Amino acid sequence: MRFSLHTFVSVALPSLLAGIILGGVGIGLAAGVLGSSVFSDVPEGSFYDEAVGEMYSAGVIKGYTSTRFGPNDYVTRGQVAVMMQRLRDDLTGNTVSSSSSSRSSSTSSSSSSSSSSSSSSTSSSSSSSSSSSTSSNVHGAFRFSNTTFNIPETVSSITLSVTRAGGSAGSATVTYVVKAGTAAAGDDFVAVAGSQLAFADGVTSKTFTIQIKDDTLAEGTETVLVELKSPTGDASLGSPSTATLNILDNEAPSSTGSSSSTAQSSSTSSVNGAGTLGFSAAAYEVSEDIATATFTVVRSNGSSGQVEVNYATAEKTAKNGTDFNSTSGKLTFAAGEVSKTFTVMILDDTLVDGKKTFTLTLSAPTGGAVLATPALVNVAVGDNEAATFGSGSFAFSRASYQVTEAEGAILLTVNRFGGTKNTVSVAYATTNGSAISTQDYTTSNGTITFAPGESSKTLSIPILRDSFSDSGEYFTVTLSSPTGGATLDSPSVTSITIYD
């Protein structure tokens, strides 16, 4: 059996501790220290938050770095043995040997990148079925390649691919559901209550088609929700197992500009050149002693005419009046303007209470503009009593990705851990593996710049379709040359596997 780190810490270790205590040896663990106050990638309030903090305080487990824990990575039998040795020595007062502790200072070895599970997105569930590694199951894990797809209203259908990643042993099925978001079933698309895709032994990709209906109403971008569920044949669900389909209205929106979509690809321009409106980053993090945080809304893919968009904050674990002051308002972009900012007041305290989050949302664009991804983002408020807040470290959100040729591109997420104080940048570049540039993908290189407060950005790599049966080829993307005092973290190299 293979435990993920958060499963081991929150389930296996407590059971082992109970056995030790019942066997006559007690242990006093440090209470009140949360994993999220130490590690930037441990979600505040997660079911393993307290357990990670206590085991870290006891010296039983450590992280990849001082700020990164890797909660969804798997542990090997050797790593479990080291952690058990530390626990035994903590209970008995023995000293851990330098050879074992120095060679296993992290909770997961560097070789875990080939089998580590993908990091959860801010919107993903904590269930094991959706966050487990696609490479841990020989029967495979069913997933979409992206979380967002776009289609003009004038196109009658869109075909989506479902990938069986990480394994293809035996026959398996998965059910897909197509249901209403803001689009109306019957008027804008054809709903599917539940239909099954059957994968024979060795088959790694299947497609299904969603029927789209055109109308003459000016109703803005509308959304359809697509979900994978109920896998059989010992297969599981990978991530993402849900996706949003944006139906792009071909009628110019009315002057009221109502658009209920909150997720549209930033690469999709609006119908009449008024542009797409979205935040400058996929996520933000600020220190609680910053006093005032500034957030940028960018207008891309067109800047014709005057447009407006509403913004608002909302509580999550961060509370209005305690951690931040709620705010809302409207941004007005004149013709040709492509950037606007607004501020949120951040409130400091003297408590060691871990990282907390609130959200920012854009809504109701006018003047023909549409919303872009991201139009809803999380803002993490870092606890300056618990951790140093510096320029941060860069890492990909996953050590590996999968994509099908039919999808045309793969979206990669670069995260910034351990602080967002300064303007920093990091270079990226693709390198051939068994997949060849110009044949299987397009060479991509450049620099990603993070402004103060920005903690997550995405980049898109074009995927090419060919006539060869060459499923399973891969290439890599590498981060390098961080600036502004930032550093590289692991994984700084990610592998993209392309399936037919």
Side-chain angles (χ1 to χ4, degrees):
M1 178 179 294
R2 300 173 68 201
F3 287 109
S4 68
L5 282 173
H6 67 63
T7 301
F8 180 82
V9 169
S10 61
V11 178
L13 269 180
S15 298
L16 290 166
L17 284 171
I20 293 170
I21 292 169
L22 290 174
V25 179
I27 183 172
L29 292 176
V33 178
L34 297 176
S36 58
S37 69
V38 180
F39 300 107
S40 60
D41 60 346
V42 172
E44 195 273 337
S46 60
F47 71 92
Y48 52 88
D49 192 1
E50 183 178 356
V52 170
E54 290 186 353
M55 293 297 102
Y56 173 80
S57 297
V60 174
I61 58 173
K62 300 181 182 179
Y64 286 104
T65 67
S66 61
T67 60
R68 183 166 179 267
F69 180 69
N72 291 315
D73 290 353
Y74 284 95
V75 291
T76 66
R77 289 169 60 87
Q79 292 158 358
V80 170
V82 170
M83 286 186 281
M84 289 292 90
Q85 182 189 50
R86 291 173 183 162
L87 178 60
R88 180 206 64 190
D89 292 337
D90 185 79
L91 293 171
T92 62
N94 291 338
T95 301
V96 180
S97 65
S98 59
S99 61
S100 62
S101 61
S102 63
R103 295 201 302 176
S104 299
S105 60
S106 74
T107 52
S108 180
S109 69
S110 60
S111 64
S112 67
S113 62
S114 63
S115 61
S116 66
S117 68
S118 60
S119 299
S120 300
S121 70
T122 56
S123 61
S124 67
S125 165
S126 63
S127 66
S128 60
S129 62
S130 63
S131 63
S132 61
S133 169
T134 56
S135 63
S136 63
N137 185 351
V138 296
H139 305 286
F142 296 115
R143 62 181 294 277
F144 294 114
S145 65
N146 285 311
T147 57
T148 305
F149 300 89
N150 301 282
I151 184 172
E153 185 181 42
T154 53
V155 176
S156 61
S157 65
I158 182 172
T159 299
L160 300 186
S161 295
V162 176
T163 299
R164 186 184 184 186
S168 59
S171 299
T173 66
V174 66
T175 299
Y176 66 90
V177 175
V178 181
K179 58 187 178 181
T182 58
D187 294 332
D188 301 307
F189 73 103
V190 177
V192 179
S195 187
Q196 208 171 65
L197 294 175
F199 289 70
D201 181 30
V203 174
T204 59
S205 181
K206 287 278 187 175
T207 62
F208 64 90
T209 300
I210 302 173
Q211 301 299 323
I212 307 300
K213 296 188 174 184
D214 194 4
D215 58 31
T216 59
L217 301 177
E219 52 196 358
T221 299
E222 296 182 303
T223 59
V224 177
L225 306 180
V226 191
E227 178 184 3
L228 299 177
K229 59 191 298 186
S230 306
T232 68
D234 292 325
S236 60
L237 293 182
S239 179
S241 60
T242 61
T244 300
L245 170 63
N246 295 303
I247 303 176
L248 309 179
D249 194 8
N250 64 320
E251 289 82 24
S254 65
S255 59
T256 59
S258 175
S259 175
S260 52
S261 168
T262 58
Q264 180 181 330
S265 171
S266 59
S267 65
T268 303
S269 62
S270 60
V271 175
N272 59 6
T276 55
L277 301 173
F279 288 106
S280 61
Y284 297 85
E285 182 175 351
V286 297
S287 177
E288 66 179 354
D289 60 355
I290 196 174
T292 301
T294 300
F295 301 99
T296 301
V297 177
V298 293
R299 182 185 188 185
S300 56
N301 305 307
S303 59
S304 299
Q306 177 177 299
V307 299
E308 296 179 329
V309 66
N310 293 335
Y311 65 87
T313 58
E315 293 182 342
K316 288 186 73 176
T317 53
K319 301 303 178 185
N320 175 40
T322 301
D323 304 299
F324 73 104
N325 283 343
S326 291
T327 186
S328 61
K330 181 178 292 186
L331 298 175
T332 300
F333 292 73
E337 285 192 316
V338 295
S339 178
K340 287 284 184 179
T341 63
F342 64 92
T343 61
V344 177
M345 184 173 291
I346 307 299
L347 305 179
D348 196 3
D349 59 33
T350 59
L351 302 175
V352 180
D353 52 2
K355 189 180 300 180
K356 298 181 180 180
T357 60
F358 63 92
T359 62
L360 303 175
T361 305
L362 298 179
S363 63
T366 70
V370 295
L371 295 178
T373 297
L376 185 151
V377 296
N378 284 322
V379 180
V381 180
D383 187 358
N384 66 320
E385 284 81 25
T388 302
F389 203 81
S391 295
S393 299
F394 295 115
F396 285 110
S397 64
R398 304 181 188 179
S400 62
Y401 292 79
Q402 296 84 35
V403 65
T404 61
E405 289 181 349
E407 301 188 84
I410 179 70
L411 198 66
L412 309 181
T413 299
V414 179
N415 291 325
R416 182 184 184 185
F417 299 103
T420 61
K421 272 191 172 180
N422 305 312
T423 296
V424 296
S425 65
V426 66
Y428 67 91
T430 55
T431 303
N432 287 345
S434 54
I436 305 300
S437 174
T438 73
Q439 297 180 19
D440 302 301
Y441 72 96
T442 299
T443 298
S444 300
N445 57 73
T447 300
I448 306 173
T449 299
F450 288 69
E454 295 181 338
S455 62
S456 182
K457 295 237 176 179
T458 59
L459 64 98
S460 181
I461 308 294
I463 303 299
L464 306 179
R465 196 163 194 169
D466 58 31
S467 58
F468 302 104
S469 179
D470 52 5
S471 188
E473 293 185 315
Y474 77 94
F475 65 97
T476 60
V477 184
T478 302
L479 299 177
S480 65
S481 305
T483 68
T487 59
L488 294 179
D489 206 333
S490 178
S492 60
V493 180
T494 189
S495 174
I496 295 91
T497 302
I498 306 172
Y499 295 95
D500 290 345

